[in-house]
Amino acid sequence: LSWHDTNKYELNCYHYGAVIDACAKSGMWTTALQLFDVMAQSDVKPNGIIFSTAISACEKDGEWEKSLLLFSMMSQAEVEANTVTFSNAISSCEKGDKWERALQLLSLMTIRR
């Protein structure tokens, strides 16, 4: 996405989401989070799909703390967590052997539904 500044293309959630997803699927969670930060600092605000994809990127690499940080950022950004987001966050806790936190998320998910 470095060509963006020189070519004056207007990027949106779909552009960022596609690259974040590609990074997540390639095991490049740090790059996915860097791009998430770039997006969050721009005029493009992350939606639920972007958050879910970034959480999934961390989950795949066992970065449960980063997954939970992103999950908590959703409420600050006024983005509602959906079933996929909860599932990714819970799976991240499971991979980090944080079953108590996974149960808390599961309870929160049932309360919100």
Side-chain angles (χ1 to χ4, degrees):
L1 294 177
S2 62
W3 50 266
H4 168 258
D5 291 331
T6 58
N7 292 317
K8 306 299 182 212
Y9 289 101
E10 188 173 324
L11 299 179
N12 60 37
C13 270
Y14 301 108
H15 299 116
Y16 282 104
V19 179
I20 290 171
D21 188 49
C23 291
K25 289 179 178 173
S26 300
M28 300 171 51
W29 68 271
T30 54
T31 305
L33 289 186
Q34 288 170 349
L35 186 56
F36 181 89
D37 289 341
V38 167
M39 183 184 78
Q41 294 172 9
S42 74
D43 290 336
V44 180
K45 300 303 172 208
N47 61 20
I49 295 169
I50 301 295
F51 272 106
S52 291
T53 303
I55 290 169
S56 178
C58 296
E59 176 262 329
K60 284 178 176 48
D61 208 40
E63 295 292 327
W64 65 271
E65 292 170 312
K66 301 233 186 300
S67 290
L68 295 182
L69 176 63
L70 286 165
F71 188 84
S72 69
M73 288 171 59
M74 291 182 75
S75 62
Q76 297 167 356
E78 298 180 354
V79 176
E80 189 173 332
N82 61 24
T83 304
V84 173
T85 312
F86 272 103
S87 179
N88 290 343
I90 289 168
S91 180
S92 185
C93 290
E94 178 267 326
K95 288 184 178 171
D97 200 25
K98 301 296 176 193
W99 62 269
E100 294 102 343
R101 185 65 178 123
L103 289 174
Q104 290 172 346
L105 287 170
L106 183 62
S107 176
L108 180 61
M109 186 172 93
T110 57
I111 291 169
R112 288 192 182 177
R113 296 287 160 207

Short mmCIF file of all heavy atoms in Angstrom, two decimals, residues 68-104:
data_model
loop_
_atom_site.label_atom_id
_atom_site.label_comp_id
_atom_site.label_asym_id
_atom_site.label_seq_id
_atom_site.Cartn_x
_atom_site.Cartn_y
_atom_site.Cartn_z
N LEU A 68 -6.83 -10.01 22.52
CA LEU A 68 -7.73 -9.42 23.51
C LEU A 68 -7.64 -7.90 23.54
O LEU A 68 -8.65 -7.22 23.79
CB LEU A 68 -7.47 -10.01 24.89
CG LEU A 68 -7.77 -11.50 25.04
CD1 LEU A 68 -7.50 -11.97 26.46
CD2 LEU A 68 -9.19 -11.82 24.62
N LEU A 69 -6.47 -7.37 23.25
CA LEU A 69 -6.34 -5.92 23.16
C LEU A 69 -7.19 -5.39 22.01
O LEU A 69 -7.92 -4.41 22.17
CB LEU A 69 -4.87 -5.53 22.96
CG LEU A 69 -4.60 -4.05 22.76
CD1 LEU A 69 -5.01 -3.25 23.99
CD2 LEU A 69 -3.14 -3.81 22.43
N LEU A 70 -7.10 -6.04 20.86
CA LEU A 70 -7.92 -5.64 19.71
C LEU A 70 -9.40 -5.78 20.04
O LEU A 70 -10.20 -4.91 19.70
CB LEU A 70 -7.58 -6.48 18.49
CG LEU A 70 -6.25 -6.16 17.81
CD1 LEU A 70 -5.86 -7.28 16.86
CD2 LEU A 70 -6.34 -4.83 17.07
N PHE A 71 -9.75 -6.87 20.71
CA PHE A 71 -11.15 -7.09 21.09
C PHE A 71 -11.65 -5.95 21.97
O PHE A 71 -12.76 -5.45 21.79
CB PHE A 71 -11.30 -8.44 21.79
CG PHE A 71 -12.71 -8.83 22.04
CD1 PHE A 71 -13.46 -9.45 21.05
CD2 PHE A 71 -13.31 -8.59 23.27
CE1 PHE A 71 -14.79 -9.80 21.28
CE2 PHE A 71 -14.62 -8.94 23.51
CZ PHE A 71 -15.37 -9.55 22.51
N SER A 72 -10.84 -5.53 22.93
CA SER A 72 -11.25 -4.43 23.82
C SER A 72 -11.31 -3.10 23.08
O SER A 72 -12.11 -2.22 23.43
CB SER A 72 -10.32 -4.34 25.03
OG SER A 72 -9.04 -3.89 24.65
N MET A 73 -10.50 -2.94 22.05
CA MET A 73 -10.51 -1.71 21.26
C MET A 73 -11.81 -1.54 20.48
O MET A 73 -12.19 -0.43 20.12
CB MET A 73 -9.32 -1.69 20.28
CG MET A 73 -7.99 -1.48 20.95
SD MET A 73 -6.59 -1.72 19.80
CE MET A 73 -6.94 -0.49 18.55
N MET A 74 -12.50 -2.65 20.23
CA MET A 74 -13.74 -2.58 19.47
C MET A 74 -14.78 -1.70 20.15
O MET A 74 -15.42 -0.88 19.50
CB MET A 74 -14.30 -3.97 19.23
CG MET A 74 -13.48 -4.80 18.29
SD MET A 74 -14.19 -6.42 17.99
CE MET A 74 -15.55 -5.98 16.89
N SER A 75 -14.93 -1.85 21.46
CA SER A 75 -15.93 -1.04 22.15
C SER A 75 -15.53 0.43 22.15
O SER A 75 -16.39 1.31 22.02
CB SER A 75 -16.16 -1.55 23.57
OG SER A 75 -14.99 -1.45 24.33
N GLN A 76 -14.24 0.71 22.25
CA GLN A 76 -13.77 2.09 22.20
C GLN A 76 -14.06 2.70 20.82
O GLN A 76 -14.33 3.90 20.72
CB GLN A 76 -12.27 2.16 22.49
CG GLN A 76 -11.91 1.70 23.88
CD GLN A 76 -10.42 1.48 24.05
OE1 GLN A 76 -9.64 1.59 23.11
NE2 GLN A 76 -10.01 1.16 25.27
N ALA A 77 -13.99 1.87 19.78
CA ALA A 77 -14.25 2.34 18.41
C ALA A 77 -15.74 2.28 18.07
O ALA A 77 -16.12 2.57 16.94
CB ALA A 77 -13.44 1.50 17.42
N GLU A 78 -16.55 1.88 19.05
CA GLU A 78 -17.99 1.73 18.87
C GLU A 78 -18.35 0.77 17.74
O GLU A 78 -19.24 1.00 16.93
CB GLU A 78 -18.64 3.10 18.64
CG GLU A 78 -18.46 4.03 19.82
CD GLU A 78 -19.09 5.39 19.62
OE1 GLU A 78 -19.58 5.69 18.52
OE2 GLU A 78 -19.11 6.17 20.60
N VAL A 79 -17.60 -0.35 17.73
CA VAL A 79 -17.84 -1.44 16.78
C VAL A 79 -18.31 -2.64 17.58
O VAL A 79 -17.66 -3.04 18.55
CB VAL A 79 -16.56 -1.79 15.99
CG1 VAL A 79 -16.79 -2.98 15.08
CG2 VAL A 79 -16.07 -0.58 15.19
N GLU A 80 -19.44 -3.19 17.20
CA GLU A 80 -20.02 -4.31 17.94
C GLU A 80 -19.37 -5.63 17.51
O GLU A 80 -19.24 -5.92 16.32
CB GLU A 80 -21.52 -4.38 17.70
CG GLU A 80 -22.20 -5.39 18.59
CD GLU A 80 -23.71 -5.33 18.47
OE1 GLU A 80 -24.24 -4.26 18.15
OE2 GLU A 80 -24.34 -6.38 18.69
N ALA A 81 -18.98 -6.41 18.50
CA ALA A 81 -18.42 -7.74 18.23
C ALA A 81 -19.52 -8.68 17.78
O ALA A 81 -20.62 -8.67 18.33
CB ALA A 81 -17.74 -8.29 19.48
N ASN A 82 -19.22 -9.49 16.77
CA ASN A 82 -20.19 -10.48 16.30
C ASN A 82 -19.70 -11.88 16.68
O ASN A 82 -18.69 -12.03 17.37
CB ASN A 82 -20.43 -10.34 14.79
CG ASN A 82 -19.17 -10.57 13.98
OD1 ASN A 82 -18.24 -11.23 14.41
ND2 ASN A 82 -19.15 -10.02 12.78
N THR A 83 -20.42 -12.89 16.25
CA THR A 83 -20.08 -14.26 16.60
C THR A 83 -18.68 -14.64 16.13
O THR A 83 -17.94 -15.31 16.86
CB THR A 83 -21.12 -15.23 16.00
OG1 THR A 83 -22.41 -14.85 16.46
CG2 THR A 83 -20.86 -16.66 16.42
N VAL A 84 -18.30 -14.20 14.94
CA VAL A 84 -16.97 -14.52 14.41
C VAL A 84 -15.89 -13.87 15.26
O VAL A 84 -14.88 -14.51 15.60
CB VAL A 84 -16.85 -14.06 12.94
CG1 VAL A 84 -15.43 -14.22 12.43
CG2 VAL A 84 -17.83 -14.82 12.06
N THR A 85 -16.11 -12.63 15.65
CA THR A 85 -15.13 -11.93 16.48
C THR A 85 -14.96 -12.62 17.83
O THR A 85 -13.83 -12.84 18.29
CB THR A 85 -15.55 -10.47 16.70
OG1 THR A 85 -15.91 -9.89 15.45
CG2 THR A 85 -14.44 -9.66 17.32
N PHE A 86 -16.08 -12.94 18.46
CA PHE A 86 -16.02 -13.66 19.73
C PHE A 86 -15.31 -15.00 19.55
O PHE A 86 -14.46 -15.38 20.38
CB PHE A 86 -17.43 -13.90 20.29
CG PHE A 86 -17.94 -12.79 21.15
CD1 PHE A 86 -18.87 -11.89 20.65
CD2 PHE A 86 -17.52 -12.64 22.46
CE1 PHE A 86 -19.36 -10.87 21.44
CE2 PHE A 86 -18.00 -11.62 23.26
CZ PHE A 86 -18.92 -10.73 22.75
N SER A 87 -15.63 -15.71 18.50
CA SER A 87 -15.01 -17.02 18.25
C SER A 87 -13.51 -16.90 18.09
O SER A 87 -12.74 -17.70 18.64
CB SER A 87 -15.63 -17.65 17.00
OG SER A 87 -15.04 -18.88 16.73
N ASN A 88 -13.05 -15.89 17.34
CA ASN A 88 -11.61 -15.69 17.16
C ASN A 88 -10.93 -15.35 18.48
O ASN A 88 -9.84 -15.86 18.77
CB ASN A 88 -11.35 -14.57 16.14
CG ASN A 88 -11.71 -14.97 14.73
OD1 ASN A 88 -11.85 -16.14 14.41
ND2 ASN A 88 -11.86 -13.98 13.87
N ALA A 89 -11.56 -14.50 19.28
CA ALA A 89 -10.98 -14.12 20.57
C ALA A 89 -10.95 -15.32 21.53
O ALA A 89 -9.95 -15.54 22.23
CB ALA A 89 -11.76 -12.96 21.18
N ILE A 90 -12.02 -16.10 21.54
CA ILE A 90 -12.08 -17.29 22.40
C ILE A 90 -11.03 -18.31 21.96
O ILE A 90 -10.32 -18.89 22.80
CB ILE A 90 -13.50 -17.89 22.39
CG1 ILE A 90 -14.46 -16.97 23.15
CG2 ILE A 90 -13.51 -19.30 22.99
CD1 ILE A 90 -15.92 -17.30 22.97
N SER A 91 -10.89 -18.52 20.67
CA SER A 91 -9.88 -19.44 20.15
C SER A 91 -8.48 -18.98 20.51
O SER A 91 -7.61 -19.79 20.83
CB SER A 91 -10.02 -19.57 18.63
OG SER A 91 -9.07 -20.45 18.11
N SER A 92 -8.27 -17.69 20.48
CA SER A 92 -6.97 -17.14 20.86
C SER A 92 -6.66 -17.44 22.33
O SER A 92 -5.53 -17.82 22.67
CB SER A 92 -6.96 -15.63 20.61
OG SER A 92 -5.71 -15.09 20.84
N CYS A 93 -7.66 -17.29 23.18
CA CYS A 93 -7.48 -17.62 24.60
C CYS A 93 -7.17 -19.10 24.78
O CYS A 93 -6.32 -19.47 25.59
CB CYS A 93 -8.73 -17.25 25.38
SG CYS A 93 -9.02 -15.49 25.54
N GLU A 94 -7.86 -19.93 24.03
CA GLU A 94 -7.63 -21.38 24.11
C GLU A 94 -6.19 -21.70 23.74
O GLU A 94 -5.53 -22.48 24.42
CB GLU A 94 -8.61 -22.10 23.17
CG GLU A 94 -8.45 -23.60 23.12
CD GLU A 94 -7.55 -24.06 21.99
OE1 GLU A 94 -7.54 -23.43 20.93
OE2 GLU A 94 -6.83 -25.06 22.19
N LYS A 95 -5.68 -21.09 22.69
CA LYS A 95 -4.30 -21.36 22.26
C LYS A 95 -3.28 -20.84 23.26
O LYS A 95 -2.17 -21.35 23.34
CB LYS A 95 -4.06 -20.77 20.89
CG LYS A 95 -4.78 -21.56 19.81
CD LYS A 95 -4.48 -21.06 18.43
CE LYS A 95 -5.23 -21.95 17.45
NZ LYS A 95 -5.17 -21.45 16.09
N GLY A 96 -3.68 -19.82 24.03
CA GLY A 96 -2.79 -19.28 25.06
C GLY A 96 -3.01 -19.92 26.41
O GLY A 96 -2.46 -19.48 27.41
N ASP A 97 -3.83 -20.99 26.46
CA ASP A 97 -4.15 -21.70 27.69
C ASP A 97 -4.77 -20.76 28.73
O ASP A 97 -4.48 -20.84 29.92
CB ASP A 97 -2.90 -22.40 28.24
CG ASP A 97 -3.25 -23.53 29.20
OD1 ASP A 97 -4.37 -24.09 29.09
OD2 ASP A 97 -2.42 -23.83 30.08
N LYS A 98 -5.61 -19.88 28.27
CA LYS A 98 -6.31 -18.91 29.12
C LYS A 98 -7.79 -19.25 29.14
O LYS A 98 -8.65 -18.49 28.73
CB LYS A 98 -6.09 -17.49 28.60
CG LYS A 98 -4.65 -17.08 28.53
CD LYS A 98 -4.05 -17.06 29.91
CE LYS A 98 -2.57 -16.75 29.86
NZ LYS A 98 -1.92 -17.01 31.14
N TRP A 99 -8.10 -20.44 29.66
CA TRP A 99 -9.47 -20.93 29.59
C TRP A 99 -10.44 -20.10 30.42
O TRP A 99 -11.60 -19.97 30.06
CB TRP A 99 -9.52 -22.41 29.99
CG TRP A 99 -9.08 -22.71 31.38
CD1 TRP A 99 -7.81 -23.03 31.78
CD2 TRP A 99 -9.89 -22.73 32.55
NE1 TRP A 99 -7.79 -23.22 33.14
CE2 TRP A 99 -9.06 -23.05 33.64
CE3 TRP A 99 -11.25 -22.50 32.78
CZ2 TRP A 99 -9.52 -23.15 34.94
CZ3 TRP A 99 -11.72 -22.59 34.08
CH2 TRP A 99 -10.86 -22.92 35.14
N GLU A 100 -9.95 -19.50 31.54
CA GLU A 100 -10.84 -18.67 32.34
C GLU A 100 -11.31 -17.47 31.53
O GLU A 100 -12.49 -17.10 31.56
CB GLU A 100 -10.15 -18.18 33.62
CG GLU A 100 -9.80 -19.28 34.59
CD GLU A 100 -8.33 -19.64 34.52
OE1 GLU A 100 -7.64 -19.27 33.53
OE2 GLU A 100 -7.86 -20.28 35.46
N ARG A 101 -10.38 -16.86 30.81
CA ARG A 101 -10.73 -15.70 29.98
C ARG A 101 -11.66 -16.12 28.83
O ARG A 101 -12.59 -15.40 28.48
CB ARG A 101 -9.45 -15.04 29.44
CG ARG A 101 -9.70 -13.78 28.69
CD ARG A 101 -10.26 -12.68 29.60
NE ARG A 101 -10.44 -11.47 28.84
CZ ARG A 101 -11.58 -10.81 28.69
NH1 ARG A 101 -12.66 -11.22 29.32
NH2 ARG A 101 -11.67 -9.74 27.97
N ALA A 102 -11.42 -17.30 28.28
CA ALA A 102 -12.28 -17.83 27.22
C ALA A 102 -13.71 -18.00 27.74
O ALA A 102 -14.67 -17.64 27.05
CB ALA A 102 -11.74 -19.15 26.69
N LEU A 103 -13.85 -18.50 28.96
CA LEU A 103 -15.18 -18.65 29.55
C LEU A 103 -15.85 -17.30 29.79
O LEU A 103 -17.06 -17.16 29.62
CB LEU A 103 -15.10 -19.45 30.85
CG LEU A 103 -14.80 -20.94 30.70
CD1 LEU A 103 -14.62 -21.58 32.08
CD2 LEU A 103 -15.90 -21.63 29.92
N GLN A 104 -15.06 -16.31 30.19
CA GLN A 104 -15.61 -14.96 30.38
C GLN A 104 -16.15 -14.41 29.06
O GLN A 104 -17.22 -13.81 29.02
CB GLN A 104 -14.54 -14.02 30.93
CG GLN A 104 -14.15 -14.30 32.36
CD GLN A 104 -12.95 -13.47 32.80
OE1 GLN A 104 -12.25 -12.86 31.99
NE2 GLN A 104 -12.72 -13.44 34.10
#
